[in-house]
Amino acid sequence: MKKIILVTGGSRGIGAAIAQRAADAGYAVCISYLSNQSAADALVASINVKGGTAIAVRSDVAVDADVVRLFEQIDQTLGPITALVNNAGILEQQSRVDEMTAERVARIFATNVIGSFSCAREAIRRMSTRHGGSGGGIVNMSSRAARLGAAGEYVDYAASKAAIDTFTIGLAKEVAAEGIRVNAISPGLIYTDIHASGGEPGRVDRLQDSVPMKRGGSADEVARAVMWLLSEDASYVTGTNVDVSGGR
Ligand code: NAP
């Protein structure tokens, strides 16, 4: 069976590392992104030049019509999807809960939680044996913040990732008998641009002493765990949550 993967938010950071690994593992890859087309195009070119197959689609996971169009484009260009990584995620400027507007909290949940539900819905309609599909795998990108809380930084983000943890448990049970395994990864402090969107580009370096392994992680270290969960080596693994956090 042809392996076809969608990595949402696959143009930069952890998503880009997953897309690279997936291409190396023989997947035809679709990455989605929000606005940075040049990063998406560069990644697609680097996969295709090595003999892989990759496409990039601009699609906001927080907009349901965008998600529907994204999956239709994958159907038409690559074929029926066999793996989904719900990776797209955002956080905003570090602040306390008593400073957060309702609009901000809604934005965080729309992308991090509702976007993952929308993509899972479209993936299941294609993968599930209940819908005539041949099965597949879903990996949801959570965060250690879900259990640490991100006090004084972004409790809204942490709470959205806690929702992803529960989503993973429930969805895994719902589709387990339909050929689909659903798992989550909880990265710790990983070197990507996301910390700059919180207003502190050097956050990983500041906090690395709090990590038992005394260092931040790389996007590729997260990607390798994702690829394991999607692989046949994890054939009896569903509903679990793997910390990739150096012990933090
Ligand atoms: P990042 O470097 O900021 O990259 C974010 C990616 O998501 C970009 O490709 C971006 O596209 C895309 N994106 C943002 N909003 C989107 C939307 N509404 N629709 C579609 N795509 C969207 O982030 P990262 O650090 O790699 O994080 C990836 C995931 O890991 C997130 O879910 C994050 O919460 C989680 N995580 C990260 C860390 C960490 O320390 N880095 C730790 C725990 C969990 P553009 O290029 O167009 O902006």
Side-chain angles (χ1 to χ4, degrees):
M1 188 171 68
K2 195 175 164 197
K3 298 192 292 184
I4 299 167
I5 191 170
L6 166 62
V7 184
T8 65
S11 56
R12 294 187 291 115
I14 292 170
I18 297 166
Q20 286 279 8
R21 283 265 166 195
D24 292 346
Y27 281 90
V29 179
C30 176
I31 58 168
S32 70
Y33 63 99
L34 182 61
S35 57
N36 189 336
Q37 191 185 342
S38 54
D41 287 347
L43 178 60
V44 163
S46 82
I47 290 172
N48 287 331
V49 85
K50 285 194 291 183
T53 302
I55 60 167
V57 179
R58 204 205 81 76
S59 164
D60 184 344
V61 291
V63 176
D64 202 53
D66 269 24
V67 172
V68 170
R69 186 181 48 81
L70 167 65
F71 277 79
E72 286 171 354
Q73 218 160 318
I74 297 170
D75 290 340
Q76 286 156 16
T77 317
L78 301 177
I81 189 173
T82 62
L84 164 68
V85 185
N86 271 321
N87 170 77
I90 55 166
L91 48 75
E92 295 196 13
Q93 187 69 32
Q94 293 174 354
S95 58
R96 289 168 45 97
V97 171
D98 55 11
E99 294 163 344
M100 284 177 195
T101 64
E103 289 75 17
R104 164 186 162 140
V105 178
R107 281 194 299 274
I108 297 294
F109 274 73
T111 295
N112 296 4
V113 183
I114 300 173
S116 296
F117 270 77
S118 301
C119 291
R121 179 195 68 221
E122 294 303 314
I124 291 161
R125 287 179 181 175
R126 289 158 174 83
M127 293 175 183
S128 168
T129 53
R130 180 190 174 98
H131 296 289
S134 308
I138 297 175
V139 175
N140 296 321
M141 202 54 70
S142 181
S143 171
R144 284 294 292 137
R147 281 163 282 158
L148 295 171
E153 293 188 316
Y154 13 74
V155 173
D156 51 351
Y157 168 84
S160 77
K161 294 301 186 177
I164 288 296
D165 290 352
T166 306
F167 172 53
T168 301
I169 294 166
L171 182 61
K173 291 177 179 170
E174 203 165 284
V175 298
E178 300 170 20
I180 305 174
R181 295 185 299 102
V182 183
N183 293 289
I185 297 273
S186 293
L189 295 162
I190 309 299
Y191 286 99
T192 72
D193 295 342
I194 203 170
H195 308 285
S197 27
E200 191 186 359
R203 179 170 175 266
V204 176
D205 285 339
R206 173 175 63 84
L207 292 172
Q208 65 181 353
D209 276 350
S210 69
V211 180
M213 286 178 70
K214 301 292 175 202
R215 66 171 179 86
S218 72
D220 190 56
E221 288 177 305
V222 180
R224 280 182 268 152
V226 171
M227 294 318 297
W228 175 73
L229 283 172
L230 291 175
S231 78
E232 271 304 299
D233 288 343
S235 55
Y236 200 51
V237 180
T238 198
T240 200
N241 195 324
V242 178
D243 292 344
V244 182
S245 60
R248 185 171 190 259

